[in-house]
């Protein structure tokens, strides 16, 4: 008789990702990924917003400082019903958040953005897989913040 214990989950590092999604554009695509059982990490957490240009740069930085290894913006792009300049505004938000992160010695690679449409289930899962890979290379934000604190 085999007495080995098999774990369903291994103890490797899994990056914790916060996704800012939009209720009319990217949420349906993300929901489809779940409904179609397209795999992406269970350590991905989604917050729904009306428009990606409404995200505050400080929210992104605070999410990372509170323990999220990365923040992904599922942007409206040019499909936004609130503003034809949504993509430009969202880009500025990302740039400002990255500058704030650099000032705190946090890697700006911890933020990613892509337009996710209402039928983009596979692309969303692919983005999460690629972003997880990048975050795995960077390592845990807790370690990065601890190193920053020790260097000061």
């Amino acid at each position: 008789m085999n007495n080995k214990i098999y774990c369903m989950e291994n103890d490797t590092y899994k990056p914790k990702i916060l996704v800012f999604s939009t209720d009319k554009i990217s949420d349906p695509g993300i929901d489809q990924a779940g409904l179609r059982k397209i795999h992406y990490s269970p350590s991905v957490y989604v917050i729904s917003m009306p428009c990606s240009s409404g995200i505050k740069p400080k929210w992104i930085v605070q999410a990372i400082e509170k323990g999220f290894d990365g923040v992904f913006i599922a942007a409206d792009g040019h499909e936004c019903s609130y503003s034809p300049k949504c993509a430009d505004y969202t880009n500025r938000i990302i740039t400002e958040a990255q500058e704030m992160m650099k000032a705190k010695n946090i890697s700006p690679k911890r933020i990613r953005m892509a337009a996710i449409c209402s039928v983009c289930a596979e692309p969303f899962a692919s983005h999460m897989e690629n972003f997880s890979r990048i975050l795995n290379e960077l390592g845990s934000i807790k370690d990065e913040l601890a190193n920053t604190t020790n260097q000061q």
Side-chain angles (χ1 to χ4, degrees):
M1 182 169 173
N2 188 344
N3 290 330
K4 290 183 181 177
I5 298 173
Y6 293 95
C7 293
M8 296 295 285
E9 194 78 29
N10 61 19
D11 291 333
T12 60
Y13 164 68
K14 289 187 176 76
K16 192 171 160 184
I17 300 172
L18 177 63
V19 176
F20 284 104
S21 175
T22 59
D23 54 8
K24 299 219 180 350
I25 308 292
S26 56
D27 274 359
I30 294 169
D31 288 346
Q32 280 300 312
L35 290 170
R36 294 174 49 200
K37 298 182 181 0
I38 298 171
H39 177 74
Y40 62 89
S41 174
S43 60
V44 171
Y45 300 84
V46 180
I47 293 179
S48 186
M49 308 271 310
C51 174
S52 56
S53 69
I55 299 164
K56 305 292 182 231
K58 68 180 181 180
W59 296 349
I60 296 168
V61 176
Q62 286 175 341
I64 290 171
E65 289 177 328
K66 296 290 183 186
F68 281 96
D69 296 296
V71 174
F72 183 87
I73 311 299
D76 285 346
H78 298 290
E79 295 180 18
C80 181
S81 59
Y82 293 100
S83 171
K85 294 187 177 192
C86 179
D88 296 332
Y89 295 148
T90 306
N91 278 327
R92 271 189 262 156
I93 291 162
I94 300 300
T95 302
E96 188 176 328
Q98 287 175 325
E99 292 302 318
M100 292 168 70
M101 290 168 65
K102 286 178 192 174
K104 294 175 180 251
N105 293 317
I106 299 170
S107 174
K109 292 180 181 180
R110 294 188 179 277
I111 302 174
R112 301 279 292 187
M113 178 182 72
I116 301 293
C117 68
S118 60
V119 295
C120 291
E122 290 93 352
F124 174 73
S126 178
H127 281 296
M128 292 302 97
E129 183 179 326
N130 291 334
F131 194 26
S132 289
R133 197 172 307 122
I134 290 166
L135 294 171
N136 268 318
E137 291 173 10
L138 290 173
S140 169
I141 188 60
K142 292 175 186 172
D143 294 340
E144 187 171 333
L145 293 173
N147 288 338
T148 300
T149 303
N150 292 338
Q151 291 174 359
Q152 293 177 355

